[in-house]
Amino acid sequence: MQILIVNTRHYPGGGDSVYAFALAELLRSHGQKVSFFAMQGKSNLPDANEDLFVSHIDYRAMNERKNLITGMQVMARSIYSIEARQKFSILLDRVKPDVVHLQNIHAHITPSIILEAKQRGIPVVWTIHDYKLICPNSHFFNDKSEKICEACSGGRFWQATRKRCKKGSRLASGTASLEAYVHQVMNVRTMVDAFLCPSAFLRDKLLENGFDECKTHHLPLFLPEPAFSRCSSDQGYILFLGKLEPLKGIYPLLEAARKAPRVKVVLAGNVEEPLRSRLPMLVSANVKYVGFK
């Protein structure tokens, strides 16, 4: 079987790409053929089809120089990418996949490629790594208030604009709302043959928002066998491994650590402003930040 895995990043820069590469190795070990479609980038691993990867775009840099032109560029690229669909079409001719397996594709690649796959009758499977299909800001989290928010549940995507949940910006939030409505009109969720949810909670949330129970499945992620190692001693600490940011619950963890001073906590991961500057004031004596190497 020929499987085409689609993910924005083609380097191990996050859980989605680490999973995509591990999945590819697992499939290949069972005799399957795997190809990739991704976004171009300096950190990318070499790939036989990198000439067809969609061009790179840095939304963070564009957000720092917000103006009408960059706003139009974001809208033109993040909702429906003509370039991505055209290059994806050429790649389909080249590798002739039996199934397309999506990972994270929003904003950089976009669901435009789903239309191309379905036009050719190729099954599409999507491993869901966040809540983007039901939450314009992806995480049920309001960046402005730094609180959990499900105001957009039930397809009320306009709430994201009203609450400025994405980066505290009405423009960014409005674009995210528009993106959600456009993809709703495109019937993205009906064109996907199966949604794979790493957690039962995620599956339940999709079902609450009208997803088809028959094609929405709970399939936990996995770790390759070499990633496991036996520990000969228990050093008695709790490890937080990952990017330190509010949406991952770093503030409740630090508050819990302060209330349980006998419990040692180790934080390992990248941290960005404004949390980077505030971190020394937030950690108690039993918390150690070791950074990320």
Side-chain angles (χ1 to χ4, degrees):
M1 179 179 287
Q2 178 70 252
I3 300 159
L4 178 55
I5 296 178
V6 184
N7 192 53
T8 295
R9 289 179 290 201
H10 198 61
Y11 61 93
D16 55 343
S17 48
V18 169
Y19 170 73
F21 290 130
L23 177 63
E25 288 304 308
L26 179 65
L27 291 169
R28 286 167 176 155
S29 71
H30 287 271
Q32 312 304 323
K33 297 179 181 179
V34 180
S35 300
F36 283 97
F37 182 67
M39 181 176 71
Q40 296 172 6
K42 295 179 180 178
S43 301
N44 279 2
L45 300 180
D47 192 89
N49 299 304
E50 60 189 4
D51 60 308
L52 294 177
F53 285 4
V54 69
S55 60
H56 183 268
I57 185 169
D58 188 340
Y59 288 114
R60 181 174 299 176
M62 295 177 75
N63 186 57
E64 291 175 355
R65 58 177 194 275
K66 285 184 289 190
N67 54 52
L68 182 59
I69 294 176
T70 58
M72 295 299 292
Q73 289 174 334
V74 168
M75 283 193 178
R77 172 66 181 269
S78 66
I79 297 175
Y80 183 99
S81 174
I82 296 174
E83 178 201 359
R85 183 169 180 177
Q86 290 175 339
K87 289 186 172 180
F88 189 68
S89 176
I90 299 171
L91 182 60
L92 293 181
D93 290 333
R94 180 184 291 180
V95 303
K96 297 179 171 55
D98 297 296
V99 63
V100 171
H101 190 171
L102 308 178
Q103 307 297 326
N104 271 340
I105 64 168
H106 281 284
H108 300 88
I109 295 175
T110 81
S112 62
I113 64 170
I114 300 175
L115 278 71
E116 188 64 32
K118 297 312 294 181
Q119 184 173 298
R120 296 163 177 252
I122 303 172
V124 176
V125 176
W126 197 340
T127 292
I128 306 298
H129 293 273
D130 54 32
Y131 303 97
K132 180 65 174 177
L133 290 173
I134 51 179
C135 167
N137 199 28
S138 303
H139 303 293
F140 286 148
F141 192 80
N142 188 313
D143 296 340
K144 185 170 180 285
S145 66
E146 295 190 343
K147 295 184 182 299
I148 293 171
C149 175
E150 295 188 44
C152 289
S153 293
R156 296 173 296 175
F157 303 129
W158 54 271
Q159 288 278 9
T161 305
R162 187 176 78 84
K163 292 178 175 290
R164 287 189 292 170
C165 67
K166 191 175 181 75
K167 302 174 184 175
S169 163
R170 196 172 300 280
L171 177 60
S173 302
T175 301
S177 294
L178 177 61
E179 176 188 4
Y181 280 120
V182 169
H183 294 163
Q184 186 179 67
V185 171
M186 287 168 56
N187 291 319
V188 167
R189 70 171 64 174
T190 62
M191 288 189 291
V192 176
D193 296 278
F195 294 98
L196 307 181
C197 306
S199 72
F201 180 83
L202 173 52
R203 180 177 186 268
D204 289 343
K205 284 300 177 183
L206 293 182
L207 296 182
E208 286 176 17
N209 283 269
F211 277 64
D212 187 341
E213 184 175 2
C214 294
K215 64 179 186 180
T216 306
H217 312 279
H218 173 211
L219 181 65
L221 303 181
F222 70 96
L223 281 175
E225 192 171 332
F228 291 90
S229 62
R230 184 177 298 277
C231 182
S232 58
S233 63
D234 180 3
Q235 298 183 35
Y237 63 86
I238 294 173
L239 173 66
F240 176 97
L241 178 62
K243 186 177 180 180
L244 278 65
E245 52 188 340
L247 68 87
K248 292 185 178 177
I250 189 64
Y251 291 137
L253 173 62
L254 294 176
E255 178 62 23
R258 191 164 22 253
K259 293 181 177 180
R262 295 183 180 180
V263 179
K264 289 188 284 185
V265 178
V266 176
L267 309 176
N270 293 324
V271 59
E272 298 175 352
E273 296 295 352
L275 181 55
R276 182 194 296 274
S277 298
R278 295 160 58 185
L279 195 60
M281 296 176 286
L282 294 172
V283 298
S284 49
N286 57 320
V287 177
K288 181 179 181 181
Y289 174 60
V290 297
F292 186 78
K293 297 179 180 179

